[in-house]
């Protein structure tokens, strides 16, 4: 089922999401709905809070043709995000990160806005899959950026908070105008 996406500056986007302790049918339904919702908006990643659920769960599905994409969160329309390619991360924790990289990011909760953001280039992350099995993943490309962007949502942060003061001010002004 496609759920409604929480749009900035909705206060729910500031919530610190809670750890998942039960890996049950309700969690699976949430993850399945998140995939459908993400696909319906041509997104590449989504955190549970973006559908209003404050639980530490996120999904990422990098389009097959976009593996070398130049922008994270950019809308795309090809049918190249098979469900089995979806990375589902529950209670993720960054074990290691190093390097820096600037990447253009976007977010389904701030549709139509793309800005350069600096993050770690390489991350190693521990997480649980939907069955409660512990997993680790390591990446130094597009996926590493996606993981950091989505993990920020679990801690109530959105990518525009990483912009410079002036860019942030400009964004807020333009966003307010658009909301009218
Ligand atoms: Co986002």
């Amino acid at each position: 089922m496609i759920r409604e996406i929480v749009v900035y500056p909705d206060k729910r986007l500031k919530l610190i999401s809670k750890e998942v302790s039960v890996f049950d049918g309700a969690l699976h339904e949430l993850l399945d709905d998140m995939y459908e919702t993400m696909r319906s908006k041509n997104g590449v990643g989504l955190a549970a809070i973006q559908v209003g659920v404050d639980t530490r769960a996120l999904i990422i599905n990098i389009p097959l043709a976009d593996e070398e994409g130049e922008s994270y969160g950019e809308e795309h329309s090809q049918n190249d995000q098979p469900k089995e390619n979806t990375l589902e991360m529950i209670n993720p924790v960054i074990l290691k990160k190093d390097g820096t990289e600037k990447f253009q990011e976007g977010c389904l909760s701030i549709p139509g806005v793309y800005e350069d953001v600096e993050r770690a280039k390489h991350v190693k992350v521990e997480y649980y899959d939907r069955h409660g099995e512990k997993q680790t993943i390591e990446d130094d490309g597009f996926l590493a950026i996606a993981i950091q962007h989505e993990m920020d949502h679990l801690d109530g942060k959105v990518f525009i908070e990483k912009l410079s003061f002036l860019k942030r001010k400009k964004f807020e002004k333009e966003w307010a105008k658009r909301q009218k």
Side-chain angles (χ1 to χ4, degrees), residues 20-156:
V20 173
S21 52
V22 187
F23 295 78
D24 60 359
L27 175 69
H28 297 174
E29 194 181 325
L30 170 67
L31 291 165
D32 293 343
D33 285 358
M34 284 167 64
Y35 171 76
E36 275 187 53
T37 306
M38 182 190 75
R39 287 296 308 267
S40 76
K41 300 282 184 187
N42 297 319
V44 299
L46 196 69
I49 194 60
Q50 292 182 276
V51 292
V53 181
D54 61 339
T55 237
R56 300 188 83 79
L58 63 88
I59 61 165
I60 294 168
N61 189 320
I62 295 170
L64 297 170
D66 256 27
E67 269 165 4
E68 300 297 321
E70 54 264 12
S71 152
Y72 175 65
E74 191 169 18
E75 289 181 19
H76 57 91
S77 52
Q78 296 124 301
N79 186 27
D80 50 8
Q81 290 174 287
K83 187 161 195 296
E84 62 270 22
N85 282 11
T86 307
L87 176 64
E88 299 174 335
M89 307 179 95
I90 321 293
N91 302 342
V93 175
I94 292 183
L95 298 178
K96 210 164 80 180
K97 62 175 174 179
D98 46 66
T100 55
E101 174 139 78
K102 216 177 226 179
F103 223 86
Q104 193 180 66
E105 299 186 16
C107 181
L108 290 180
S109 291
I110 314 172
V113 175
Y114 300 97
E115 292 287 353
D116 279 346
V117 174
E118 195 173 284
R119 297 191 186 270
K121 170 151 182 62
H122 165 249
V123 290
K124 184 176 180 183
V125 184
E126 185 179 87
Y127 65 97
Y128 292 86
D129 64 22
R130 64 160 63 201
H131 306 293
E133 300 288 333
K134 197 182 264 190
Q135 311 282 351
T136 56
I137 193 164
E138 216 171 333
D139 192 72
D140 62 0
F142 195 49
L143 179 60
I145 301 296
I147 291 171
Q148 293 172 81
H149 176 112
E150 299 308 336
M151 281 185 70
D152 268 359
H153 279 298
L154 307 184
D155 290 323

Side-chain angles (χ1 to χ4, degrees), residues 6-14 109-110 171-172 175 179:
V6 174
V7 173
Y8 184 85
D10 192 302
K11 285 192 174 67
R12 286 173 289 177
L13 292 171
K14 287 185 166 294
S109 291
I110 314 172
F171 157 78
E172 293 292 351
W175 190 255
Q179 303 310 102

